[in-house]
């Protein structure tokens, strides 16, 4: 019998990886498009793409680590508080756990039996999971999120950098946009497959917002180019 495949086990690193890859593609492409719209030479475009790639990867890693660490700190604090409550008021905590199971559909007697057995097995684990919503799968992992985000940003950002190096300079904006849409669509497809979500919706969403972001940066670059010529 084939076991069921669940995707929530991937939620921690998948969220960071998808965000990093999409941001790597979109921010680096937008930066290259903005410079390309204001420049007639390749060097500043390539330099801007490299700078955006390096700065973006470090920024994504730092941002993910700090934000997820904050979540982790909250979870650890809640677990410490719950552990203290279990030590000082175990009877009240048992009643509280039973009430949770009653609200989920068990009758009063069965809810208390379940609460007693789970408390005897692992009191803190039961309260963490059923009262606080904290479990091993969803618990924050700062380093994992930071590494996944930085690595995926680099992979995503390398693609528009390669376009900056090899695409014809006169058609740079169109090449950057066209390849970016392809890259973003592929990224969305991979993420949707890994997460078991709707692929068409994922592709449309990222392509729409990606187009909006690149249009704005191209417009800003064009205005800058007009004013400096």
């Amino acid at each position: 019998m084939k076991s069921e495949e669940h995707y929530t086990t991937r939620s921690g690193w998948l969220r960071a990886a998808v965000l990093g890859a999409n941001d790597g593609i979109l921010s680096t492409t937008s930066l290259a498009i903005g410079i390309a719209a204001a420049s007639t030479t390749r060097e500043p475009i390539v330099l801007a793409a490299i700078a955006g790639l390096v700065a973006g990867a470090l920024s994504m890693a730092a941002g993910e680590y700090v934000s997820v660490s904050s979540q982790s700190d909250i979870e650890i604090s809640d677990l410490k508080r719950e552990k203290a409550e279990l030590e000082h008021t175990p009877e009240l905590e048992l009643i509280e756990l039973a009430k949770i199971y009653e609200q989920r559909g068990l009758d009063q007697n069965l809810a208390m039996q379940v609460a007693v057995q789970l408390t005897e097995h692992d009191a803190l684990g039961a309260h963490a999971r059923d009262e606080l919503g904290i479990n091993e799968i969803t618990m924050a992992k700062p380093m994992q999120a930071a590494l996944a985000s930085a690595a995926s940003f680099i992979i995503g950002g390398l693609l528009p950098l390669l376009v900056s190096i090899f695409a014809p300079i006169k058609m740079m904006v169109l090449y950057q946009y066209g390849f970016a849409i392809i890259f973003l669509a592929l990224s969305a497809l991979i993420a949707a497959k890994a997460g078991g979500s709707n692929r068409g919706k994922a592709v449309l969403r990222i392509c729409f917002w990606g187009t909006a972001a690149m249009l704005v940066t191209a417009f800003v670059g064009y205005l800058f180019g007009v004013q400096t010529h």
Side-chain angles (χ1 to χ4, degrees), residues 39-107:
S39 175
T40 57
T41 58
R42 186 181 304 276
E43 287 75 13
I45 303 171
V46 175
L47 181 60
I50 293 173
L53 176 61
V54 174
L58 295 175
S59 176
M60 288 293 292
E64 280 292 328
Y65 186 82
V66 170
S67 63
V68 179
S69 290
S70 298
Q71 179 186 343
S72 179
D73 291 342
I74 293 172
E75 292 174 348
I76 291 172
S77 178
D78 282 345
L79 289 173
K80 287 181 178 178
R81 189 180 301 109
E82 195 64 33
K83 184 177 180 180
E85 291 174 354
L86 286 168
E87 292 175 353
H88 295 99
T89 57
E91 296 84 3
L92 291 178
E93 290 299 307
L94 179 63
I95 294 172
E96 184 179 27
L97 193 60
K99 289 292 184 182
I100 291 172
Y101 298 140
E102 281 188 57
Q103 292 172 0
R104 293 182 181 177
L106 301 182
D107 63 52

Side-chain angles (χ1 to χ4, degrees), residues 101-200:
Y101 298 140
E102 281 188 57
Q103 292 172 0
R104 293 182 181 177
L106 301 182
D107 63 52
Q108 187 174 10
N109 291 332
L110 182 56
M112 180 57 72
Q113 291 177 28
V114 171
V116 168
Q117 290 188 32
L118 289 178
T119 298
E120 290 175 351
H121 176 69
D122 181 7
L124 183 59
H127 282 270
R129 180 181 60 253
D130 296 322
E131 182 183 348
L132 303 177
I134 299 173
N135 58 63
E136 186 178 351
I137 294 174
T138 60
M139 199 165 186
K141 299 178 179 66
M143 187 56 69
Q144 181 192 67
L147 292 175
S149 183
S152 59
F153 186 98
I154 291 172
I155 294 171
L158 280 174
L159 300 173
L161 173 58
L162 291 173
V163 176
S164 298
I165 295 172
F166 296 108
I169 189 66
K170 291 183 179 180
M171 301 286 288
M172 181 63 72
V173 171
L174 292 178
Y175 270 87
Q176 286 285 358
Y177 172 73
F179 277 103
I181 289 298
I182 294 172
F183 298 150
L184 287 171
L186 289 174
S187 173
L189 285 173
I190 293 170
K193 180 175 175 57
S197 57
N198 185 285
R199 299 178 189 181

